[in-house]
Amino acid sequence: MIPQRIVLASVAGLVSAFLLAACSSSNNNASSTNPGNAAPVATAASDPATSAPAASAPADSGNSGSGHMATTTMLMAKAVKGMGTVVTDDKGLTLYRSDKDQAHPSKWTCAGECTKTWMPVLVQDSVRTMGVEKRLLGTVHRNGMKQVTLGGWPLYRYMGDTKAGQMNGQGKGRQWYAVTPTGQKSAMTG
């Protein structure tokens, strides 16, 4: 009778070990799946930026298109000498749009290495505005986060702007321009 209990206990232990191993391996497979490896095509979000969930600003290997990110809680219109009025974030840093992106429907193209220089601006909770029409705000999905849009254009911060009021990214590559409060690209005013 005792040897039979030992065999049953051993079999039960082995079955438990196999079940735990199977569960563990299926969890690892699920967590290693990266939907961010899909092509960087985003769809326009129907929710305004004011209802976007909290988002963090991680840096990754650049393979998923998320790269470096910036967050903001406010978009403000600011007059800049020689440039007219442009939009800045809550730190006073100029925000930009790319001619390679698309406004209708909103679509971003800057991914991987590009996001090390041009950081997508993510919304965190809600976005307040000052001098910017709230009705022009929106979001576009970006690998589980929401990038803020203005007039449909995804917004970015330029790595070369280190102080409020700088516009070092203006005209870079003939595709990057400071964004105006209506979502248009800023041009020199003379």
Side-chain angles (χ1 to χ4, degrees):
M1 188 78 139
I2 292 178
Q4 190 177 27
R5 286 186 187 168
I6 293 173
V7 169
L8 287 175
S10 297
V11 168
L14 286 172
V15 168
S16 296
F18 283 117
L19 288 174
L20 285 173
C23 288
S24 174
S25 93
S26 77
N27 285 342
N28 287 341
N29 288 341
S31 66
S32 67
T33 302
N34 183 1
N37 285 334
V41 175
T43 58
S46 59
D47 299 332
T50 57
S51 65
S56 60
D60 72 1
S61 64
N63 295 330
S64 69
S66 59
H68 294 79
M69 305 287 174
T71 59
T72 192
T73 58
M74 177 175 257
L75 296 182
M76 302 177 283
K78 183 174 182 169
V80 177
K81 186 177 179 181
M83 293 304 294
T85 304
V86 299
V87 177
T88 66
D89 64 8
D90 53 0
K91 295 168 185 63
L93 295 169
T94 303
L95 299 181
Y96 298 86
R97 55 169 265 193
S98 171
D99 282 349
K100 288 188 177 181
D101 287 350
Q102 181 177 304
H104 302 289
S106 295
K107 179 180 169 184
W108 50 268
T109 58
C110 180
E113 288 295 314
C114 176
T115 62
K116 291 180 180 177
T117 303
W118 300 97
M119 298 172 289
V121 178
L122 303 177
V123 293
Q124 189 172 20
D125 297 325
S126 65
V127 176
R128 296 177 292 142
T129 61
M130 184 184 293
V132 177
E133 293 256 357
K134 210 165 193 142
R135 68 178 176 80
L136 295 176
L137 293 181
T139 58
V140 65
H141 294 279
R142 190 173 187 97
N143 302 326
M145 296 172 277
K146 291 187 179 183
Q147 182 175 359
V148 69
T149 63
L150 181 59
W153 294 97
L155 300 183
Y156 301 84
R157 189 186 306 157
Y158 179 55
M159 184 66 79
D161 290 343
T162 57
K163 292 189 251 180
Q166 291 182 328
M167 289 183 51
N168 297 321
Q170 179 68 9
K172 289 280 187 190
R174 293 187 174 162
Q175 84 176 59
W176 294 96
Y177 298 93
V179 68
T180 69
T182 59
Q184 301 301 311
K185 58 184 175 183
S186 178
M188 300 290 273
T189 58

